[in-house]
Amino acid sequence: MTWLSVAPETTLQHGAFKAVLAPAAGGRLTRLMSTEASTGEVTDWLVPLDDAVRAAGFEATAWPKAGCYPLVPFSNRIRGGHFVFEGRSVQLPIHPGERHALHGGSHRMPWQLIRQEPQSATMVYRHPEGEHGWPWAFRAEQDVVLDNNGVTLRLRVTNESAAAMPCGCGFHPYFPAHFGHRLQFRAGAVWPPTADFLALGPTQVDAQQDYAAPRTLPDLELTQYYGEWDGQAMLVSADGRSIHMKAEALTHLVLHRPAGKGYFCVEPVSHVADAANLAQQSGPRTGWQILPPGETLACSVRIACLAS
């Protein structure tokens, strides 16, 4: 069992916005908040990490549903933890309580803070060959940059192996449930999930799955995988506060809402769930990437936060 400590946390500040980072706890952004100067009112734009967890840390495979963490070297699930790449059979550990490998594993490892300024920071994770079953060595760097209206997250993954490496990347934010009052984004395809959250082949987006026009996210158990996403999404609270997301090099979106919980997830990612296996049938539409030795995959997401 691996235990991740949230301490030491690092705080960034720019204008009304503050971000709290926990590099040792998987390179996480544990809080994103703003303070209204005239009233002192605080708005949490991501679900903040609970104070008890902040004090005690957490078990790496049972992470808190809060903040935002990077997804490297893959997003979501790989069926049975197994795939074949260029004739090489890869077997990854099965996530506890699952039947599959989950979320790449770097969010369960300590990252190092290598640069910090008042409004920005860079965290890095170095993965040796074979660690947690992943045969390739890579380096992941994440920049967190605050501005007057929110935060930009940038992620770079570099293949440090002598052979080509398959991979993907993305971000996993947890948004307060009230921002589901109105949700809007455009995607050209949907990949329906199986009962254990693997993706099936792509289909057209039907009326029930379509958020091209703003509408309320139902308070129901919901997981859906979207492809051919245009990289933009808007989340609006009933009081008029809104979150505008804009992603670069991330053409898939995961929408997840557990029934009756205080959060939901809109995850910008580079590929669909189980792309490591689906790529053999669906090819480029899965978003699964191949990095030659020394090459870098880069992506980013900007989260702009507006009070009204």
Side-chain angles (χ1 to χ4, degrees):
M1 182 175 70
T2 301
W3 194 262
L4 292 182
S5 173
V6 176
E9 288 183 307
T10 295
T11 300
L12 308 179
Q13 181 92 42
H14 185 75
F17 281 87
K18 180 185 290 186
V20 183
L21 314 180
R28 275 172 170 75
L29 178 62
T30 62
R31 192 172 191 184
L32 178 64
M33 58 177 283
S34 64
T35 303
E36 172 59 45
S38 60
T39 64
E41 181 184 6
V42 172
T43 298
D44 276 300
W45 302 95
L46 296 172
V47 176
L49 193 68
D50 184 83
D51 286 342
V53 177
R54 177 168 284 110
F58 59 91
E59 202 281 305
T61 61
W63 55 86
K65 310 302 184 186
C68 179
Y69 54 81
L71 299 167
V72 179
F74 63 88
S75 160
N76 215 284
R77 290 159 178 80
I78 293 179
R79 181 187 295 272
H82 180 263
F83 67 98
V84 176
F85 177 70
E86 295 186 346
R88 183 177 195 172
S89 179
V90 178
Q91 182 62 58
L92 305 174
I94 303 302
H95 188 80
E98 288 268 351
R99 297 169 57 190
H100 314 293
L102 181 64
H103 286 340
S106 67
H107 68 300
R108 297 189 285 135
M109 300 297 293
W111 292 51
Q112 292 183 324
L113 183 69
I114 62 170
R115 183 189 62 83
Q116 182 178 358
E117 298 177 4
Q119 67 191 60
S120 65
T122 299
M123 298 175 282
V124 64
Y125 168 66
R126 298 291 294 272
H127 181 92
E129 290 185 5
E131 185 83 9
H132 300 297
W134 189 259
W136 300 273
F138 66 86
R139 173 187 175 95
E141 286 192 9
Q142 182 185 198
D143 299 326
V144 181
V145 183
L146 283 181
D147 58 45
N148 286 328
N149 296 111
V151 67
T152 298
L153 306 175
R154 303 189 188 103
L155 189 60
R156 297 175 297 280
V157 187
T158 301
N159 179 8
E160 295 189 329
S161 292
M165 179 182 80
C167 70
C169 58
F171 301 93
H172 198 311
Y174 292 85
F175 295 106
H178 60 83
F179 282 108
H181 177 69
R182 286 288 184 271
L183 176 63
Q184 181 182 26
F185 61 86
R186 289 180 173 84
V190 66
W191 300 65
T194 65
D196 53 351
F197 304 108
L198 297 170
L200 298 172
T203 64
Q204 291 186 332
V205 180
D206 66 26
Q208 186 176 5
Q209 303 155 341
D210 191 5
Y211 287 86
R215 65 187 180 95
T216 300
L217 180 65
D219 188 8
L220 302 170
E221 195 76 23
L222 171 68
T223 298
Q224 195 59 270
Y225 306 132
Y226 291 89
E228 301 169 23
W229 175 47
D230 69 2
Q232 300 189 61
M234 183 173 65
L235 298 68
V236 183
S237 180
D239 62 8
R241 287 174 293 173
S242 63
I243 296 171
H244 298 252
M245 180 185 293
K246 184 173 183 180
E248 299 289 342
L250 299 171
T251 58
H252 289 255
L253 194 70
V254 178
L255 177 60
H256 171 66
R257 179 161 196 177
K261 301 292 185 181
Y263 71 89
F264 69 103
C265 301
V266 181
E267 306 163 37
V269 295
S270 63
H271 62 85
V272 73
D274 198 30
N277 289 300
L278 290 173
Q280 298 178 38
Q281 292 81 37
S282 299
R285 291 193 75 181
T286 64
W288 195 229
Q289 305 286 317
I290 298 175
L291 276 185
E295 293 294 311
T296 298
L297 173 65
C299 64
S300 68
V301 64
R302 171 161 167 71
I303 299 174
C305 309
L306 303 179
S308 59

